């Protein structure tokens, strides 16, 4: 069983377009603020906390409230435009959903860098109880990335 690890990341513009497409599919008006929100996630390397996003949003929109930013993040997550995860030390954080192809994540518990890999455990035979119908799934592996290991030694 081989695992293909790679730091595959779709282009900045493709990520913005994907997020805008999901917004319009859900009947959202695509405002300049929401485009800016998509742009922030397209430029991010890993997960962002609501505070990280708020700090970046206030650069262009000084009057935006934290509650508005947070509400948008939760709604975008429910729509599938953002993935959310709760980090033990850092709380709830978000990142742009990867829509190009099916893959899963390796997450560094130290720097929170996320690497994608194509191996999917759901392709194996699953013996599920009852007549459970799977609608979606996520698979994350936590560890320490190469750079963080080097800094520790």
């Amino acid at each position: 069983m081989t695992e293909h690890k790679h730091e595959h990341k779709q282009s900045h513009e493709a990520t913005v377009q994907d997020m805008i497409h999901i917004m319009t599919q859900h009947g959202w008006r695509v405002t300049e603020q929401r485009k800016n929100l998509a742009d922030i996630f397209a430029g991010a390397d890993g997960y962002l906390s609501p505070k990280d996003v708020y700090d970046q949003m206030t650069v262009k929109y000084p009057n935006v409230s934290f509650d508005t930013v947070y509400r948008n993040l939760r709604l975008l997550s429910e729509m599938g435009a953002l993935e959310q995860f709760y980090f033990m030390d850092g709380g709830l954080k978000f990142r742009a959903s990867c829509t190009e192809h099916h893959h899963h994540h390796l997450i560094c518990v130290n720097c929170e860098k996320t690497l994608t890999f194509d191996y999917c455990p759901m392709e194996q035979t699953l013996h599920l109880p009852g007549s459970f119908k799977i609608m979606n799934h996520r698979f994350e592996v936590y560890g320490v990335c190469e750079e963080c290991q080097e800094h520790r030694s």
Side-chain angles (χ1 to χ4, degrees):
M1 185 179 342
T2 60
E3 293 179 28
H4 304 289
K5 289 183 215 168
H6 47 101
E7 290 185 57
H8 175 79
K9 186 166 166 56
Q10 64 183 5
S11 77
H12 186 104
E13 192 51 39
T15 301
V16 171
Q17 289 309 314
D18 281 352
M19 287 185 72
I20 287 170
H21 178 68
I22 292 168
M23 289 179 201
T24 55
Q25 275 186 317
H26 286 81
W28 271 25
R29 225 166 31 86
V30 182
T31 62
E32 285 306 310
Q33 275 193 18
R34 288 176 176 158
K35 281 182 187 166
N36 187 235
L37 199 58
D39 199 53
I40 288 168
F41 279 99
D45 222 8
Y47 286 84
L48 296 173
S49 71
K51 173 90 169 69
D52 295 333
V53 179
Y54 173 72
D55 289 346
Q56 289 189 53
M57 283 294 287
T58 55
V59 172
K60 263 189 166 172
Y61 305 99
N63 297 326
V64 73
S65 75
F66 180 80
D67 285 348
T68 299
V69 170
Y70 187 73
R71 189 172 59 252
N72 276 279
L73 295 177
R74 291 305 298 251
L75 289 168
L76 285 166
S77 176
E78 285 168 23
M79 290 175 193
L82 296 177
E83 295 172 9
Q84 66 175 38
F85 185 74
Y86 189 84
F87 286 91
M88 292 305 279
D89 296 334
L92 190 63
K93 296 195 176 191
F94 299 86
R95 65 173 273 151
S97 291
C98 316
T99 57
E100 273 196 334
H101 72 290
H102 184 74
H103 61 260
H104 294 288
H105 298 126
L106 300 170
I107 301 170
C108 179
V109 294
N110 188 48
C111 70
E112 297 178 7
K113 183 198 302 180
T114 307
L115 304 173
T116 63
F117 67 113
D118 291 333
Y119 169 73
C120 180
M122 299 300 281
E123 291 165 3
Q124 313 307 311
T125 304
L126 294 177
H127 302 286
L128 301 173
S131 58
F132 193 84
K133 182 180 178 197
I134 296 170
M135 306 301 284
N136 200 353
H137 71 276
R138 278 177 34 174
F139 179 56
E140 289 145 347
V141 179
Y142 300 90
V144 181
C145 73
E146 213 171 321
E147 278 124 39
C148 289
Q149 288 175 52
E150 286 169 11
H151 292 309
R152 283 183 176 182
S153 40

